[in-house]
């Protein structure tokens, strides 16, 4: 699937009653071989920054699950996720939900839609 097409599909899922992690997971449903119900359940605990604690961005959590299930590179998934986290931080300005949303500063660094896009693109890049 074309990278931007998958990223936009993930954003559409985000607007269809999904949290950011679920949206990223659903964008990879075909490759993951899981039903929408299973992927929604798998990502259900990662909304609003993992467990609604405004911690690690849910989109990044979704990308990590995708990488863990689909990584065939021979490189450990944790090492790939370090790279993805760094790339994501450069694009979004942070990796922690409350920092991205500007909860304490009043200055949003990146929209949730763009976080989903960045996470999907990063996962695709590291899978392909």
């Amino acid at each position: 699937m074309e990278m931007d097409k998958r990223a936009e599909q993930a954003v559409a899922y985000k607007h269809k009653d999904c949290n950011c992690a679920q949206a990223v997971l659903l964008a990879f449903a075909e490759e993951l071989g899981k039903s929408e119900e299973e992927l929604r359940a798998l990502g259900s605990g990662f909304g609003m920054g993992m467990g609604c604690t405004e911690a690690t961005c849910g989109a990044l959590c979704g990308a990590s699950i995708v990488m863990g299930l689909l990584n065939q590179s021979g490189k450990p998934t944790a090492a790939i996720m370090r790279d993805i986290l760094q790339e994501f931080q450069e694009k979004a300005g942070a990796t922690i939900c409350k920092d991205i949303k500007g909860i304490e500063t009043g200055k949003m660094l990146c929209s949730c839609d763009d976080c989903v896009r960045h996470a999907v693109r990063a996962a695709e890049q590291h899978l392909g």
Side-chain angles (χ1 to χ4, degrees):
M1 182 183 290
E2 183 188 324
M3 193 177 292
D4 282 338
K5 184 176 179 185
R6 186 190 311 264
E8 293 310 314
Q9 183 175 20
V11 171
Y13 283 122
K14 172 79 176 92
H15 290 273
K16 236 176 67 176
D17 198 29
C18 286
N19 68 36
C20 295
Q22 291 168 324
V24 171
L25 288 166
L26 285 167
F28 290 91
E30 188 175 323
E31 292 87 343
L32 292 168
K34 304 278 185 210
S35 70
E36 182 173 336
E37 184 178 300
E38 289 174 302
L39 294 174
R40 281 179 178 268
L42 192 58
S44 64
F46 298 101
M48 292 188 288
M50 195 183 295
C52 298
T53 63
E54 298 172 338
T56 302
C57 171
L60 277 171
C61 295
S64 183
I65 295 167
V66 168
M67 293 308 302
L69 292 170
L70 297 179
N71 177 22
Q72 304 278 323
S73 71
K75 183 176 181 179
T77 301
I80 293 170
M81 282 311 299
R82 269 194 304 274
D83 294 341
I84 289 175
L85 282 163
Q86 183 176 4
E87 293 162 17
F88 185 92
Q89 183 158 354
E90 289 170 11
K91 289 181 173 134
T95 60
I96 303 299
C97 182
K98 72 176 179 179
D99 297 339
I100 295 167
K101 289 181 175 182
I103 301 294
E104 295 174 355
T105 65
K107 181 182 179 216
M108 183 168 58
L109 301 176
C110 189
S111 70
C112 291
D113 287 358
D114 282 341
C115 287
V116 167
R117 287 182 184 102
H118 295 324
V120 167
R121 290 174 184 147
E124 274 195 326
Q125 184 176 23
H126 287 273
L127 286 170

